[in-house]
Amino acid sequence: MAPWPELGDAQPNPDKYLEGAAGQQPTAPDKSKETNKNNTEASVTKIELLPTYSTATLIDEPTEVDDPWNLPTLQDSGIKWSERDTKGKILCFFQGIGRLILLLGFLYFFVCSLDILSSAFQLVGGKMAGQFFSNSSIMSNPLLGLVIGVLVTVLVQSSSTSTSIVVSMVSSSLLTVRAAIPIIMGANIGTSITNTIVALMQVGDRSEFRRAFAGATVHDFFNWLSVLVLLPVEVATHYLEIITQLIVDSFHFKNGEDAPDLLKVITKPFTKLIVQLDKKVISQIAMNDEKAKNKSLVKIWCKTFTNKTQMNVTVPSTANCTSPSLCWTDGIQNWTMKNVTYKENIAKCQHIFVNFHLPDLAVGTILLILSLLVLCGCLIMIVKILGSVLKGQVATVIKKTINTDFPFPFAWLTGYLAILVGAGMTFIVQSSSVFTSALTPLIGIGVITIERAYPLTLGSNIGTTTTAILAALASPGNALRSSLQIALCHFFFNISGILLWYPIPFTRLPIRMAKGLGNISAKYRWFAVFYLIIFFFLIPLTVFGLSLAGWRVLVGVGVPVVFVIILVLCLRLLQSRCPRVLPKKLQNWNFLPLWMRSLKPWDAVVSKFTGCFQMRCCCCCRVCCRACCLLCGCPKCCRCSKCCEDLEEAQEGQDVPVKAPETFDNITISREAQGEVPASDSKTECTAL
């Protein structure tokens, strides 16, 4: 059999494995071997042999893997301040001022785009959301009320809008407080979709996306877990209704002034130039007003004049007259005098779509696309500017200030202080969605840890309920009690959730669940979109449809599904904690088909489905793709022009690297061991053996 190529001259180098060999005399010729034999034996005791190289040591020992959740070190690669001259310091100062102005500007447009995004969702699905509430007879089912709260809040992108609809229905006696509580719980879940959508904008960088998506979904898991525990408790005991009823009955509240609206004072001058909505239309549809179904949500007239005047009107009989003295007849018809209200339009609104006369769906679609583009662009620029500013000493100070606990024994108070900070910041900006969405990119770039973002998010939940309480105190007299009781139900629901999932570190399940989802989404980034569609659309719509079919259908389908989920969770817990108590076949999931226990087959399906985007395209399209990559911050380029490779995915299929000793240190074998030789080359070499 022929030897391997380039292997005939391979000779081991024994001097490499002997210390002090360099100090020995060169090897004598063959004739002098016997002469130097005694000297060699005498000097063996002075030679220290290096450790032998067995085949086990040829394989690299696995090094300690870095924790992907550790905050990255934002090193400053620029010139230090002390090394700059006067001109450089002045230039650096003005650059810092410019970055701060740009950061505030992009943050302003980021918040405005969130407001316009909410308006776009209301235009697209607002009337549908109102129709969800119109059938008040089905609201007696708490599970159906929960999913309606989720769907409506997702459609209108505003928990305050869905809450105001519920308040209007309760004050009009179309809905009871008991039936409204599950809807409020669903609204609490639906409002968390906004910062999850914002996290998708950081999908370009795998590490940033892992942290950002986990930081956003920790809010989702807190709300879902709270509902899973507290909704059955509320249905069984009605504790939220009883506590809030006692509070409302104990105090004599009076109508106050409007709640402070600090953020909209800044953003409203810009957003009202884009579009203005008549949000009363959604409430009127929910209250079965037939006239409102044909109205447009786009406000046309901003200044109107309403007047009441007495007019002569005909009535069927004298019994319908306002008073006997104001009633007469002309022999044919009966007449009386009544106060008639008429409305006169004076001035149109000043926004872009006032004269377009487009349907709500068209306006909503246009605004949805534009707001998402602005939101994506502003978020990318905010991340870029923060990444350039938060480096070196500045990043160290900020990280230590935000993420460091109080000294022992007061370390446990740090989280509760973060809850208060989150509540205060949300009270200032008047929106939990704005606060958590602004927090998401900071988590992604590594300024704030998930453990610190969790109490800030919980505080945001409390802050938005305090705003609702103040708004309820400013309600008119007929809606004061109902709106205040619903706002208090929302407040105590979030307090109960915090007591369940925060005080004891072991119970902080949302953090662990969010990290697990972050790891999965970082590896299979399509799974993030799948998560959004399943949890915020498909599951609520499925429960809604089964509930409409009747409670027998809901129980018949839901009970087996819940049983299977509980069984899988119990098996997973036993497999991780004490697998010995399980049969050998159940100690892992290998008995299931691969598509049921792994996302790899699904990833292959998604890759084939999106394979058309990876085909080579024309030069013009390639230039557009590269421009998009520069805009969205991709590390190299886009997939459609075949100019970027996902290095992490490419490395997943490689075997463990093998270290070959210098005896076999030749180009062919080294390349073949590292997998660099093409398959055709290695086959031809193997056939030569």
Side-chain angles (χ1 to χ4, degrees), residues 6 18 87 111 136 223 250 325 372 395 451 461:
E6 303 180 10
L18 299 177
K87 182 179 179 180
V111 175
S136 57
N223 290 329
S250 300
S325 60
L372 285 175
E451 289 75 14
N461 274 359

Side-chain angles (χ1 to χ4, degrees), residues 463-607:
T464 191
T465 58
T466 56
T467 303
I469 291 173
L470 290 178
L473 293 175
S475 302
N478 59 344
L480 176 61
R481 289 179 59 86
S482 57
S483 59
L484 182 59
Q485 186 172 0
I486 290 172
L488 289 174
C489 288
H490 196 184
F491 175 77
F492 283 107
F493 167 72
N494 284 310
I495 292 294
S496 303
I498 291 174
L499 293 177
L500 278 174
W501 309 115
Y502 187 75
I504 305 174
F506 175 77
T507 60
R508 295 172 187 174
L509 295 179
I511 296 178
R512 293 196 287 273
M513 296 174 70
K515 285 187 174 182
L517 183 61
N519 287 328
I520 296 173
S521 300
K523 187 175 182 180
Y524 307 105
R525 280 175 267 195
W526 54 267
F527 189 77
V529 180
F530 175 81
Y531 160 80
L532 277 179
I533 295 173
I534 290 294
F535 277 84
F536 290 98
F537 291 98
L538 289 186
I539 291 179
L541 285 173
T542 302
V543 175
F544 181 77
L546 293 175
S547 299
L548 292 180
W551 67 269
R552 292 182 178 87
V553 177
L554 179 63
V555 172
V557 176
V559 169
V561 172
V562 173
F563 176 76
V564 170
I565 293 174
I566 294 175
L567 181 63
V568 170
L569 292 177
C570 293
L571 277 176
R572 185 71 186 91
L573 183 64
L574 290 174
Q575 287 174 356
S576 59
R577 299 293 181 183
C578 45
R580 295 181 180 178
V581 300
L582 295 173
K584 188 175 181 180
K585 192 173 183 179
L586 296 178
Q587 291 181 1
N588 52 53
W589 299 107
N590 292 337
F591 64 92
L592 293 175
L594 185 62
W595 62 272
M596 294 183 65
R597 54 186 169 89
S598 175
L599 290 176
K600 286 185 178 181
W602 299 102
D603 186 57
V605 173
V606 174
S607 299

Side-chain angles (χ1 to χ4, degrees), residues 233-298:
V233 174
E234 172 61 24
V235 171
T237 63
H238 307 293
Y239 82 101
L240 289 175
E241 182 185 4
I242 295 172
I243 292 175
T244 55
Q245 186 67 42
L246 291 174
I247 294 175
V248 171
D249 293 339
S250 300
F251 298 94
H252 300 285
F253 294 104
K254 296 181 180 180
N255 293 354
E257 298 179 354
D258 291 339
D261 208 356
L262 304 178
L263 188 65
K264 287 191 176 181
V265 172
I266 303 173
T267 59
K268 195 173 182 179
F270 176 76
T271 55
K272 74 177 183 179
L273 296 176
I274 307 299
V275 69
Q276 296 182 44
L277 302 184
D278 186 3
K279 298 182 180 179
K280 294 180 181 178
V281 175
I282 302 177
S283 300
Q284 292 170 355
I285 294 175
M287 297 172 69
N288 289 318
D289 189 349
E290 294 295 331
K291 295 180 180 179
K293 293 181 180 180
N294 298 322
K295 290 183 180 179
S296 174
L297 284 171
V298 180

